[in-house]
Amino acid sequence: MSDTLLVSDGLDRPESGDNIVLPFTLDTLDSRGRVVRLGEVLDSILARHNYPAPVARLLGEAVTLAALIGSSLKFEGRFILQTQTDGPVNLLVVDLDAPDGLRGYARFDHDALVKAAERGETRAGQLLGKGHLAMTVDQGTHMDRYQGIVALEGGSLEDVAHTYFQQSEQIPTLVRLAVAEHTRKGDRRPHWRAGGVLVQHLPAHGQSMMPDLPGDGNFDNPDTADPDFRESDKWAETKSLLATVGDDELADPDVSAERLLFRLYHETGVRVFAPMPLEERCTCSAERIEAMLRDNFSHEEREEMLVDGEIEVVCEFCSADYHFKLHEFEGDNVHDHGDGTADQTQH
């Protein structure tokens, strides 16, 4: 790719690497979106718990999806993606502590996972089963939370993301997710990495260039589908070009986000913006755990938690180990520690 072409497409800087979100626009196609590339950040999240490969891959997709959606927040706060289902992987939780901190955790039934693997049922939808996916925007103690909930009916995280945008926001959206293990020369083990793209049809200046989606965003629902609905040619082209990218290309460490976008949209034109860095960062702390124990449990309940004279709490995200003596809570008043109680359900 020549320097002239890079500059003409808005890239007057070195190509970005891993652990970034790259915003872009397709001006002539009335679309814009974001690309996520995750390397060490994702590998740290997954390798810490030594998840079985199918679980690691599924949590990697959830982390990538949370980064794609949560990175659009324009304020400090948290974006939380959580699934609760009846499948072998019955819980996924990913936090994006805006603007750049990621953490994730998966809970699974080992025996059910083994049986699913023996049957060859290791696709995302088969591992998740049925339940729901919730996406929560938490702007802090003094602001109301926003939560969108979508049913999971045996489909992939890509499928449920499309359903969310169709039903909740009625914005034509396409999401691609890919997670892979990559071995570099000299490595003792493979490393997890991921790539993802989210693109939306959002005409310039807010002027609609295509009809509204059907009432509930479901084109197959005869009660709400518009028989005269015609998809924009520009959006059809945007989708068809993105459909040409393979999972291996999305997660390839040698294909930068800029290079990927240029391959897909160089004929129509693509404009990229400054990449936003991502890092693995857990929000747990001794102060937050202490506040959770003080504010949510009575003295008698804390006594019942004692093991060898201490209360032990282990963070499910980062595995940090916290120890407290009972006398540390004596005579203290209740303190307001912001979102400390939010961590309660996750530790």
Side-chain angles (χ1 to χ4, degrees), residues 29-43:
L29 296 177
D30 298 325
S31 298
R32 60 176 179 247
R34 294 178 292 280
V35 177
V36 165
R37 299 302 300 269
L38 295 173
E40 293 84 357
V41 164
L42 182 66
D43 189 61

Side-chain angles (χ1 to χ4, degrees), residues 58 61 85-89 121-131 152-159:
L58 186 56
E61 290 185 3
T85 57
D86 63 2
V89 182
E121 298 175 354
T122 56
R123 294 196 303 272
Q126 294 169 323
L127 294 177
L128 288 170
K130 295 184 179 181
L152 276 165
E153 299 290 345
S156 68
L157 290 178
E158 286 184 0
D159 294 335

Side-chain angles (χ1 to χ4, degrees), residues 52 54-55 88-89 108-118 121-122 127:
V55 179
V89 182
F108 63 97
D109 182 321
H110 181 269
D111 292 340
L113 184 67
V114 170
K115 291 178 181 178
E118 291 173 348
E121 298 175 354
T122 56
L127 294 177

Side-chain angles (χ1 to χ4, degrees), residues 179-194:
V179 178
E181 289 183 283
H182 177 70
T183 302
R184 294 167 297 201
K185 188 175 182 179
D187 285 346
R188 298 185 63 182
R189 65 169 180 86
H191 294 266
W192 288 102
R193 55 180 301 104

Side-chain angles (χ1 to χ4, degrees), residues 6 98 103 121 139 190 241 243 263 323 333:
L6 286 172
R103 63 178 187 168
E121 298 175 354
Q139 301 181 57
L241 290 172
R263 287 182 181 179
H323 295 262
N333 294 322

